[in-house]
Structure formats: C-alpha cells, structure tokens
Amino acid sequence: MPGFELFGDLERKQVNDVLDNGVLMRYGFDGMRNGHWKAKELEAELQNTFQSKHVQLVSSGTAAVSIALASAGVGAGDEVIMPTFTFVASFEAIMMLGAIPILVDIDDTLCLSPEAVTAAITQKTKAVMVVQMCGSMGQMDALKAICDKHDLLLIEDACQAIGGTYKNQPLGSIGHLGCFSFDFVKTITCGEGGAVISNNKDYYINADHYSDHGHDHVGLDRGAETHPFLGYNFRISELHAAVGLAQVKRLPEFLAIQKRNYNILRDALSQISEVVFRTVPDGGVENYGFLNFFLPDLEIATNVSENFKESGVDGCFHYYNNNWHYVRKWDHLKKLKSLFPISEEVKEGLKYLETKTFKTSDHYISRNISCLIKLSWTEAEVKRRAGKMVEAIQNVI
Ligand SMILES: *Cc1c(COP(=O)(O)O)cnc(C)c1O
C-alpha cells in the first residue's frame, strides 16, 4: 500500500513549482502563482480517477469523513452505523460532529455485515458508513439496498481502497459520498491529505465551503467572499497537493506492482488448505494493497503472527491484538476518555458499548492475518517472502 516507498523527481518537480512562486495556499493570490493551482489540478485528476463529478481535497482522511457527514447534514444526536473493524478515525470523525457511532459486526469480507446493519437501524439512524478495509469492499449491492429502503445516506470510507472497483465502479464512488486519505502510508500520498467525492452537487458545495471556514468561493478577493454557513479549516496546502499530483499519475503503476506482488504471495499460500482468503464480493476487484487470509483459530493465528515476526516477515498484522483497528482495544472510546465534556446525548447513545459483544467480528478478526503489500519489493524478494510465509504457517499447523 505505501506510496511513500516510491518517491522521486516527479514529486520534486511538482513541489518546486510551488516553492518557486511561493504561494503555498490553495485559494487566492492569483497574480503571484504563475498559473500553478496544484490542488485544483489534483482535484481534476481525481475526478477522472474516481469517475466522480465532484472532488474536494481536504487536509486528511479523518477530516474527509467528518466533512462528508457534515455536508449531508449529519450532526448532533444522529446515529451513524459503522464497522467494528476500521481505523479509529471512523468514530473520531462521527463524534466530532456530536453524532453517535453505532458499531456493528463485519462479515467475511472484513467489511460491514448487511444483516448487522439492518438490525442496528433505529429512528435516529442517519447514515451507514462502509469502510472498504484493506483494499477490498463490503457487499455493496446489499448495503445500498438497505440504505435505499430506509432512506439512509451511504458513506464510503475508501481510504485504504483507492483503485479497487465494484462492478466496474471505483470504490468510493458508489455511496452518496466517498472519502479518501493521502496520508503517509496510503497507496498514494500527499504527506497528509484527503478527499471527499460525490456526484451530488449540493453535498460537494457544502464540502467545499465547510472545509474553508464556510467561504463561498465565488471568485472574489478572499476578504470579499461571504460565509453562507459555519465551517472550519480543513484545507490542503499547495505543497501537499503538489506531491499528490505527481503520485496520482503513478497510480496505475503502483496498482500493477501491488497486483504482481499480491498474486505471488497468494499463489504460494493457496497451497495450504487451512488458509482461507477473505471474501471479495462478486463483481469486486481489490486494489491488492493487502493480502488477507483466515487461519483455523485464534491460537494458530497468534502463533503464525509470532512466527512471521521471528522469521523477518514484516508488515503482517493480527488485528485482533492491534490497538488501532479493532473494537477490542478501543477502551478510550468505551470508557469515553475525552479531554472535554461530551454531551449527555452522546454519552447515553454510547452506553451500549459497556455490554455489547461482537462475536461475529471476533470470529473473523481473531483468525485473520493482514499482510501489507509493498511497492519496493523486487520479484525475487516477494518469492523469498512467500517461501518464508509458507514455512511459518506450516510450522504451526
Ligand atoms: C487512514 C485511514 C483514515 C484516516 O486518514 P488520515 O488521512 O490518516 O486522517 C480513515 N479511515 C481509514 C479506513 C484509514 O485507513
């Protein structure tokens, strides 16, 4: 997945364009910029990449999720359904708006279970957030049908899935709004950055204004622009956008390398009958940023994970024991450890977490190993790695 591995002259040239004219801000200063509008150019590129009518670049993936929700009017007291397996950013982004994250089980896609979503819908539910984890996707047709039936927003967090598709549609472009991250470890990086995409013009305009203090961006001098509504500063800088512009042009190259490396590892592990790969929904194509597989039980997965470390196979995660990606270790959320007071409504809304168990999620995550696919590996290195992985697994089962 990591775009940080492949950096070079293209990135340097783009950044130097910005440094040479000295305008690091994405808006205004028209006369000083020598025609360089890196954020705008990157938005145009991404419209094409995502086959989406509108793209708003922002400062991070976490900001993108908050902005997507806010742009569609989700706020205080609204419930947002999200998966137990994701990055902590998912609930952070919801809680920032005073909304309530409702965690529900995943299925063997490692994404939201449609049955669990249906069971969690209440009068307060406003949105369903599917997180396209580790380069693949949830059961999008089923999730979409549920949202249509109950008149709910479908938000797609595709931060880890750029380049993946479902029935020929880019992941991120299937829901009402899609979110991407270009942080340092994502497939393409700006250093820090993110994007909100939508085919809905109103949501896009809201995202555009909201991420820049509510500025209307009608093209006047910044000081003369008005503020139709309240916003914040979630802008991306020209420097970050410049890096992203060089990177996005290399996306097809990155995806091809990921696919080659993924297939070598997958073919090797396929020889072991106890290894079962994660389900990719019919019509889905992964971005090959991770190789995910299940082992027979928690003990075997724990031992395999240890064996990988001992034999130098890095970048493989047993998320069951990971602090950042699975509900089991989210004590700061469960105990509501906040720097500042949280509303009674949100406290009340999160009470379910004191007692709720997630047996189905445990069933999958306890047995899952997720291996990052790197871009810098040579073919010989991937083959050596595949051999070590097979040996490490066979030593346990
Ligand atoms: C990385 C990530 C985010 C947050 O992106 P940042 O740019 O780091 O804020 C959100 N969701 C998922 C699934 C991610 O992997």
Side-chain angles (χ1 to χ4, degrees), residues 366-387:
S366 64
R367 298 180 302 118
N368 172 254
I369 305 263
S370 192
C371 294
L372 190 63
I373 303 293
K374 289 211 178 162
L375 299 168
S376 53
W377 294 334
T378 63
E379 203 167 327
E381 278 168 345
V382 192
K383 287 184 175 153
R384 260 201 307 281
R385 166 173 288 258

Side-chain angles (χ1 to χ4, degrees), residues 1 26 39 62 134 213 218 251 294 352 374 377:
M1 178 162 82
R26 70 156 298 177
T62 312
C134 304
H213 305 291
V218 289
L251 181 61
F294 301 110
Y352 71 97
K374 289 211 178 162
W377 294 334

Side-chain angles (χ1 to χ4, degrees), residues 60-62 86-87 89 131 133 157 159-160 181-183 186 192-193:
S60 72
T62 312
T86 175
F87 182 53
V131 183
M133 280 302 276
D157 175 341
C159 290
Q160 296 190 6
S181 164
F182 307 120
D183 80 19
K186 298 305 200 281
E192 298 282 3

Side-chain angles (χ1 to χ4, degrees), residues 59-267:
S59 52
S60 72
T62 312
V65 180
S66 260
I67 293 164
L69 291 165
S71 298
V74 176
D78 292 335
E79 292 181 355
V80 179
I81 294 174
M82 58 163 274
T84 53
F85 175 51
T86 175
F87 182 53
V88 291
S90 300
F91 60 77
E92 290 171 352
I94 295 167
M95 290 181 67
M96 210 197 80
L97 302 169
I100 303 164
I102 302 295
L103 274 54
V104 308
D105 274 324
I106 55 162
D107 61 19
D108 59 1
T109 64
L110 297 177
C111 302
L112 271 187
S113 148
E115 291 74 34
V117 170
T118 302
I121 294 171
T122 71
Q123 291 292 326
K124 288 184 167 181
T125 310
K126 266 280 184 68
V128 173
M129 189 198 297
V130 55
V131 183
Q132 314 292 28
M133 280 302 276
C134 304
S136 185
M137 70 217 78
Q139 312 275 0
M140 295 310 293
D141 279 350
L143 292 167
K144 219 169 163 231
I146 295 167
C147 290
D148 287 347
K149 181 173 169 196
H150 296 272
D151 198 18
L152 302 172
L153 281 166
L154 181 59
I155 309 275
E156 254 186 292
D157 175 341
C159 290
Q160 296 190 6
I162 188 169
T165 57
Y166 179 71
K167 298 189 174 170
N168 296 319
Q169 269 184 279
L171 296 180
S173 72
I174 299 160
H176 295 96
L177 293 124
C179 309
F180 290 89
S181 164
F182 307 120
D183 80 19
F184 191 55
V185 301
K186 298 305 200 281
T187 306
I188 62 170
T189 184
C190 294
E192 298 282 3
V196 179
I197 72 170
S198 184
N199 285 324
N200 179 308
K201 193 168 182 192
D202 292 336
Y203 294 158
Y204 159 69
I205 288 174
N206 288 346
D208 168 277
H209 294 13
Y210 184 73
S211 58
D212 185 24
H213 305 291
H215 267 269
D216 62 16
H217 296 152
V218 289
L220 299 171
D221 180 73
R222 270 183 82 71
E225 287 177 346
T226 63
H227 307 91
F229 49 77
L230 297 165
Y232 291 96
N233 177 4
F234 293 120
R235 288 187 309 256
I236 195 165
S237 81
E238 283 288 276
L239 283 172
H240 291 88
V243 176
L245 194 53
Q247 289 257 304
V248 79
K249 293 181 204 283
R250 305 174 73 185
L251 181 61
E253 173 197 339
F254 290 180
L255 293 173
I257 298 171
Q258 284 185 174
K259 185 173 178 178
R260 179 202 68 186
N261 292 347
Y262 170 108
N263 280 331
I264 294 171
L265 296 180
R266 182 166 176 141
D267 287 348

